[in-house]
Amino acid sequence: MRVPLSGWLRWQLLRIDRSATVAVRLYVAICAAATALLVYPAVGAEFPKFNPQASAGAPAPRPAVGAGFPKFQQYQIDKIGNQMGQTSLVDIDKDGKLDWVVGCSRGQVWWFRYEAPDRWVRHQIGDRVGTEVGGVAFDVDGDGWIDQVSGNTWFRNPGDPARKPWSRYENGAIAGSHDNVAADIDGDGKLDVVMMSDRAGLFWYKIPQDPTQKWQAREVGPGVHGGIAPRGVGDLDGDGDLDIVRSTGWFENLDGKGLRWQWHENIPGGHSGRFPHTTKAWICDLNNDGRNDVVMCDCDSELPDRRVHWFENRDGKGRTWLRHEIATGVGDMHSLAVADFDADGDLDVFSGEGPLGGTGPGGKRRWFIWENLDGKGRTWKQHIILEGPECHEAVAADVDGDGDIDICSKPWNGDLHVYLRNMLMESQPSRR
């Protein structure tokens, strides 16, 4: 049975408690009961790295009708690192606030404690990470604290993460992964990790009872440079288990346990070039018809015809797809987040231009949100919310706990970490 995700439920999903335990339970329940929008901190958490959650407690105020599209205010988180990925927004220290997690390719990984929009405190998680770009934060060992998975290494949260050292473990996964996504592939109620690189392929890993031991690898199929992150795992055929989209098609989870997979080459995404078919992907019910669709953008591409688009799941079985254009002629779109940025009850799309080119003056990078005007994904309005710094592996979540969705990002080439605060709630007359 497929249950349509109503506008009211979308709003409630944006206000759920941010604890990793509640988020995981909600994720599993939604996957089992409906083909609805996947929610997890990475939050978002997790699974993937987007967390659309607001703070717990009193309901957040709804914006006034006709309030217009929100402005975003830029803050600097820090200046450190280079060639970074592994991004998440999660509550590392259980203070009820989301923190920024990011790490360097094969180098150090940090978490930044949020104290105020202009004040973040950096703490080291570890070093010698076994990944290039891929990483995801979630509770690996079930102790209630958010840990960090960075490819073939993971770091255990000591429970006093600002003062005590994190323990580093090797899990036996593929080296140099570009994409890491946490999701319950075998339906046992526990998170697994999906990893991909163009050299090793596409695998998922079952975490053993003792996660310090080697994780059990299951091969899904061939890989591309990138194409399953940040949210490319979801139920595409309406059978209640999780499938995996990969740029030009999708892998069907035939037995619901992740042991048998069938490839369907029927999604006209991807592109040619130096890193062929490298995309960012997000599975969600974009047009609110009860069937999961796929939002996708071209990344790691220097071609002039780079696209942002979504694919409508016409039959709900993943056999028939209809492409809808969101934008074309954009830069290297190495970020993707789908969320209700203007709190009008439907899903909008965010992306930003990355290392291989921007369309702003002098090559400046533009950060976009495309507003879903009709709520069905047929009519879009483009908003440039920032112009200047490179955007790479951005994550969207309610960082300041005011009920709207903010954005954190950083570059691949460079060290500037950026927090874009959504001023929607602050613009309401009652807040002035």
Side-chain angles (χ1 to χ4, degrees):
M1 176 181 180
R2 289 192 289 271
V3 181
L5 189 63
S6 69
W8 175 87
L9 180 54
R10 290 178 188 276
W11 177 253
Q12 298 304 313
L13 288 174
L14 297 179
R15 295 173 50 244
I16 62 172
D17 182 89
R18 284 179 291 180
S19 72
T21 301
V22 172
V24 170
R25 289 174 180 169
L26 178 61
Y27 169 83
V28 173
I30 290 176
C31 287
T35 58
L37 175 65
L38 299 178
V39 176
Y40 180 79
V43 93
E46 44 170 49
F47 308 116
K49 289 177 290 252
F50 165 73
N51 182 359
Q53 301 144 341
S55 59
R62 291 298 302 266
V65 176
F69 201 81
K71 304 295 184 182
F72 286 77
Q73 188 167 335
Q74 179 183 354
Y75 296 89
Q76 178 177 306
I77 296 174
D78 202 344
K79 292 191 73 174
I80 190 172
N82 189 41
Q83 296 190 343
M84 294 173 283
Q86 310 161 63
T87 52
S88 294
L89 281 167
V90 288
D91 187 1
I92 292 289
D93 57 355
K94 288 190 175 183
D95 66 348
K97 303 173 184 177
L98 296 180
D99 308 301
W100 171 235
V101 179
V102 63
C104 295
S105 175
R106 305 182 188 276
Q108 292 181 308
V109 58
W110 307 278
W111 69 280
F112 299 81
R113 184 178 189 271
Y114 174 82
E115 295 189 348
D118 59 351
R119 188 169 67 254
W120 301 69
V121 179
R122 176 176 13 111
H123 301 277
Q124 182 166 325
I125 291 176
D127 57 16
R128 296 178 294 121
V129 301
T131 188
E132 289 183 354
V133 178
V136 58
F138 66 99
D139 185 5
V140 172
D141 55 4
D143 66 353
W145 292 88
I146 298 293
D147 309 298
Q148 170 68 13
V149 177
S150 298
N152 63 13
T153 52
W154 75 278
F155 300 86
R156 172 176 276 160
N157 189 327
D160 189 0
R163 297 183 181 88
K164 294 182 180 179
W166 295 52
S167 300
R168 178 186 182 275
Y169 301 97
E170 297 185 1
N171 56 33
I174 59 175
S177 56
H178 187 279
D179 291 355
N180 290 184
V181 180
D184 183 10
I185 295 295
D186 57 1
D188 66 352
K190 301 176 183 178
L191 290 178
D192 312 296
V193 182
V194 185
M195 300 189 192
M196 186 173 71
S197 83
D198 48 0
R199 296 180 295 275
L202 175 59
F203 295 81
W204 73 274
Y205 294 88
K206 186 173 182 62
I207 301 172
Q209 189 69 29
D210 179 1
T212 66
Q213 302 300 307
K214 298 302 182 186
W215 297 3
Q216 184 178 9
R218 299 286 188 182
E219 185 172 5
V220 177
V224 296
H225 185 64
I228 65 170
R231 192 64 65 82
V233 180
D235 186 7
L236 293 176
D237 53 3
D239 63 355
D241 57 39
L242 298 185
D243 311 299
I244 302 172
V245 68
R246 198 213 66 193
S247 304
T248 59
W250 61 286
F251 291 95
E252 181 182 355
N253 188 348
L254 290 175
D255 60 359
K257 302 295 182 183
L259 304 180
R260 296 171 51 236
W261 298 88
Q262 181 177 346
W263 171 247
H264 301 278
E265 179 91 17
N266 61 357
I267 298 177
H271 56 83
S272 59
R274 182 156 51 120
F275 301 103
H277 302 316
T278 301
T279 60
K280 309 302 289 185
W282 197 288
I283 295 175
C284 61
D285 182 7
L286 190 69
N287 59 354
N288 196 24
D289 66 352
R291 300 188 288 260
N292 271 339
D293 311 299
V294 178
V295 183
M296 199 176 292
C297 60
D298 295 338
C299 77
D300 285 333
S301 172
E302 299 169 304
L303 301 176
D305 57 347
R306 292 165 290 206
R307 304 163 298 171
V308 181
H309 41 188
W310 72 279
F311 300 92
E312 182 181 353
N313 191 350
R314 295 298 298 274
D315 62 357
K317 301 294 184 181
R319 267 56 175 185
T320 305
W321 300 89
L322 178 63
R323 177 183 176 272
H324 300 277
E325 185 171 291
I326 298 175
T328 189
V330 292
D332 171 28
M333 311 307 285
H334 211 297
S335 295
L336 181 63
V338 180
D340 189 1
F341 289 98
D342 54 358
D344 65 350
D346 55 39
L347 295 176
D348 310 301
V349 176
F350 162 83
S351 189
E353 297 176 334
L356 297 186
T359 58
K364 288 183 178 180
R365 272 47 171 185
R366 286 173 168 164
W367 304 37
F368 302 96
I369 292 177
W370 290 278
E371 181 183 358
N372 188 353
L373 290 178
D374 63 356
K376 301 296 183 181
R378 303 300 179 94
T379 307
W380 300 88
K381 182 177 181 179
Q382 178 174 289
H383 302 271
I384 299 174
I385 61 171
L386 183 65
E387 190 173 79
E390 188 179 293
C391 181
H392 186 267
E393 297 293 295
V395 185
D398 184 10
V399 174
D400 55 2
D402 65 352
D404 54 33
I405 304 301
D406 313 298
I407 299 164
C408 288
S409 189
K410 46 81 207 173
W412 175 250
N413 301 302
D415 61 1
L416 176 63
H417 300 250
V418 171
Y419 167 46
L420 284 187
R421 185 185 186 193
N422 188 333
M423 303 304 291
L424 177 64
M425 293 303 176
E426 287 70 22
S427 68
Q428 301 307 303
S430 61
R431 301 289 294 269
R432 291 173 184 163

